[in-house]
Structure formats: C-alpha cells, structure tokens
Amino acid sequence: MQKPLGTDLRQNLADLNEMFGSSMDLYTKQLCIRGVRCAVCMFDGLSSTEKLWVILLDALSRPEGKEENGWQLYQHILYGTDIPAESGEIADFEELTRRLTAGMAVLLLDGSCKAIAFSTQSMQARSVQEPSGEGNIRGSREGFTDLLRINVSLLRRLVRRESFVIELLRAGERTNTEVVLCYDKAVARQELIDSVRQKLQRAKLPLLLDSGYLAPFLQKSGFGFFSEVGYTERPATACAKICEGKLVVLVNGSPFAMVLPYFFTEHFQSLDDYASKAYFCSFIRLLKYLAFALAVLLPGCFVCAVQYTPELLPPQLLYKIAAAERATPWPLFLEMVLVILLLEIIREAGLRLPKPIGHSVGLVAALIVGDAAVGASILSTPVLIIAALTSISTFVIPSLYEPVTVLRILFVFAGGMLGPAGIVALFVVMLFSICGMESFGFPYTSPLAPFGMGSVRDGVLRVSLKSLAKHPFEVSDLPGGEGQDAEP
C-alpha cells in the first residue's frame, strides 16, 4: 500500500531515511524559506545542486513576506511564482522515490502533505554517436544512447506531428525501469496499440536492463527460430517505422529500440535502400537473400553432396575434395561441425575480449586455423573455405545471426546423417515455420505473402521513390492485425 506523505517534516525525513537506509548518495538539507521549515532531497550524481539553487533560492530568498504554514508556501511556489516546478503532485513516498531516482530534486515542506519536484537532472550519459551495429553509407549518423530522455528527444525531433504519442510505463519489480511506448495514433491501429500496452503492463520481471527482456512477454508463446520483434539503434530507422504505423518501445538504459510488429523481409532492408537507385537497391536485396541461403544451406548441402550424391560435383572438384579428405583424420560431417563450432568460438572470443586484445584474435585464428591446421592435415582446405564463406554471408544479415547459426548446424546434421531427404525435410520445416508465424496478428511474411501490391512495390525488389511516394506503405494496409493479440 502506498504510504502518504505527512504534514510533519521531521517524520517525513525520518521515513525517507528509513527507506533508503544509510545511502551515501542521498543528499538532504534543511532550510527555512519565507518562514517555513523545508528540506531539499536529491541523489548526488543524478541531480545538480547548482541548478536547484539557481531555480529556487534566488526567487524565494527575496523578502516579499512570510507564509503562515507549509501549505500556503506550497500553493505560492506552484501558482504564485514563475519557478519552473514540475506540475505533477507528490503525495506519497512511492511517487517521491520515482522523482528522486529520475534525477529530480524534491522540496518537502513542514505543514504540507504534498512535495514539489524540480527538474535539476545532471546525469552523466554516453553522447550521441554513430551506432556500431548498423552501418550505412548515407543518412543520419545519430544513434540511440543509454539515457531515455535523450532517446525520446531524438525521436521527437524527427517525428514533428501532433499525432505522435509517447506513453510512459514502468516494468521491473526491483528496478522500476521506465519504458516508453511511441507511436503515431493517426496511422497505427488502435487494436495493436491496446494489445502492446496491455502486454507491457502485464510483463512481470524482477529487473529490466534491456529492451530484449520484454520480447518474450510481447511475442506469442511457443518455440520459434525467428523473432517477431526487431531492434534498431538508429532514430532515423525508428522514425521510419513509426511513420509506417508501427510501434517503437524504448527502455531506459538501453540503446536498442524495439520495433513492433517486425516482418521477415525487414531483415534484408536498410536505410541505404531508399537513398540509392531502385535497380541497385533491388540488386543488393537479392544479394542479401542469396547470402541468407548460402549461410543456412551451403555447409549442409556440401556435406550431403560429397557423401551421398558425389556424381553432382564436377570430377576435378571431387578429386580435390577426396584428396584433401584422405589426408585428414576426421570424417567430412564431423569436420564441418568442428570448423563451424571453432569459428563461433573465435567470434565469441573476439566479441567479449577488450578491443585492443580482440583484434589479435582474428590474426591468431588465421595463423592457427587457416595455416597451421591445414599444414598439419588436421583440417581440409575445402571445408575451411565453405565454413568461411558461410560466415561471411552471415555478416551480410547481422539481425539474423542467431537463427542462421543454429539452422546451419542443423542442416549439417540433416545432410550428413539423412542425406538429401534430411535437407529437403528440414528446409520444408523451416519454410513452414516462417510462413506460419504471425507478428501481432500480421503475417510474418508480409508483404510477400499474402501476395499484394506491396510485394511488387517494396518487397524483394523496390520501385522508384516517386512510385512509392504516391502511396506510402502502412501497416494498416496489410491483412490481419485485427486485435488477435489483444488480451481480454
């Protein structure tokens, strides 16, 4: 139950100190303003005392009279002065804690059961920089940072419409983290907004440190290789998604914005697609789909062809593969799995190590795996080439790295143990899995399937921007999404 603030200043300070214990960063200072005993409370490092004194003391230290009690002073500060105090009232300790942990300074007054908050935030945050995970040639170089208020301002600066709505929610029982739901109410479906809002409110998490923590609570239950939500580090990309009628979720402390709903075709699109010629954009998208097929199918098909259908390979290539495999102690199937796992270990080592050391991991891997292992006849050259080609293909679509890596290993097992039948069966299962998925009521394969004009205008291929501008893409144009995901 929420404990309300009392009229006794000493009791309020005692309750506040009891709540936070002996926290060294809790700053409290008692003072007298216009004849009324008051106390200023803030957290050191989140709030600035300099800003507070400039806002408060300069105006209230003038001898314009005295108030009879704290309630009159409360009314005078809010309605009788030009001091920029926060409009929302603070009547209980729960709201008082929220304001303090948000970096605000709170003024408690003796004789008043309500407190006043001042925006004196002075939180250190990473500056707005170009994101490292989403490279582009043209367009904005700005990326989301860790502080929620900065991220919201970046979006507000791009989406300058009165219909752009930013809702503040909270999640995480122990962290009480701020979550922001952003959408354009003029183009976003109300059923989708209500569904996502309800799921965010019902998400029961002990702590929330990243937007990815919310994904399991927003998606439908059940196992799936592909995710129904997407992520972006670029405000420009989030702005484009909002203008399409989608929703964007921002979490305080996370530079990754969550996009809802998210479709399979969006993994193969980027901002550069709309800053280049239509024919070149279409060519790049086809290359990305080809890279996805190579990353998933090539190792398994290679093992299957060598072991079960060698007659499909050219004789010269087959002789070289047979000679290389004869010199290694491993079966081809086991060797391919070993190389794939080894490459994943190298990638993880380079990712987790400090950057000055991480660059040397690639050099060590090239010397040991690429040269020494082949020279010692531990690994064969064809297997290394196939594994390296699939790894490079995976980097073309980084947002699909997780499902592609697992599917690649599964196809190697299917091709090595079951042959062509295993490859075909697993491919059908993967295809049915993608086609059977829904993202918040919309087909996951939209706009490719069900097939429509959107598939021709901006699907695998793209028409000119003049044609796209005549009828911009909106999620509301797609079939589905009529509240299937809404909670009762």
Side-chain angles (χ1 to χ4, degrees), residues 84-283:
E86 294 291 313
S87 58
E89 65 177 24
I90 304 176
D92 52 68
F93 281 93
E94 182 177 353
E95 184 62 26
L96 174 64
T97 303
R98 289 181 180 178
R99 300 298 181 93
L100 289 176
T101 53
M104 298 182 184
V106 177
L107 180 67
L108 299 174
L109 305 95
D110 190 29
S112 173
C113 60
K114 295 182 180 179
I116 305 174
F118 302 96
S119 295
T120 58
Q121 291 94 337
S122 181
M123 292 177 280
Q124 299 296 322
R126 182 169 57 90
S127 61
V128 178
Q129 300 173 347
E130 183 176 3
S132 59
E134 291 183 60
N136 68 321
I137 300 175
R138 301 179 184 178
S140 173
R141 294 292 190 266
E142 290 182 339
F144 285 121
T145 183
D146 301 325
L147 198 59
L148 181 62
R149 294 181 181 270
I150 297 178
N151 295 339
V152 170
S153 66
L154 292 175
L155 275 182
R156 177 65 72 178
R157 189 175 63 183
L158 293 176
V159 189
R160 300 185 178 183
R161 295 186 61 180
E162 68 280 358
S163 57
F164 179 46
V165 180
I166 300 176
E167 295 185 14
L168 178 63
L169 306 170
R170 294 183 182 273
E173 298 176 357
R174 299 180 183 178
T175 56
N176 200 23
T177 307
E178 295 175 324
V179 179
V180 161
L181 178 63
C182 309
Y183 58 89
D184 189 341
K185 63 182 181 181
V187 292
R189 289 189 180 182
Q190 189 60 43
E191 298 89 345
L192 176 63
I193 298 172
D194 296 338
S195 172
V196 173
R197 184 191 298 117
Q198 291 175 7
K199 291 181 178 181
L200 287 175
Q201 292 173 343
R202 298 181 181 184
K204 300 300 181 182
L205 283 166
L207 71 162
L208 178 60
L209 303 178
D210 185 75
S211 55
Y213 286 37
L214 296 171
F217 298 91
L218 295 174
Q219 301 178 105
K220 286 186 176 180
S221 59
F223 175 79
F225 283 108
F226 300 92
S227 177
E228 301 170 11
V229 301
Y231 302 93
T232 180
E233 295 180 78
R234 291 192 175 274
T237 302
C239 170
K241 302 303 180 183
I242 291 174
C243 294
E244 292 176 356
K246 298 183 178 182
L247 279 61
V248 170
V249 177
L250 296 170
V251 174
N252 190 27
S254 173
F256 292 90
M258 183 184 295
V259 180
L260 314 169
Y262 202 76
F263 306 129
F264 181 73
T265 56
E266 295 183 84
H267 293 290
F268 306 90
Q269 301 174 359
S270 66
L271 280 177
D272 285 335
D273 292 352
Y274 305 93
S276 57
K277 292 288 187 178
Y279 69 87
F280 186 75
C281 165
S282 302
F283 171 69

Side-chain angles (χ1 to χ4, degrees), residues 26 69 125 149 182 200 218 353 380 388 433:
L26 179 61
N69 52 49
R149 294 181 181 270
C182 309
L200 287 175
L218 295 174
L353 282 173
S380 64
S433 175

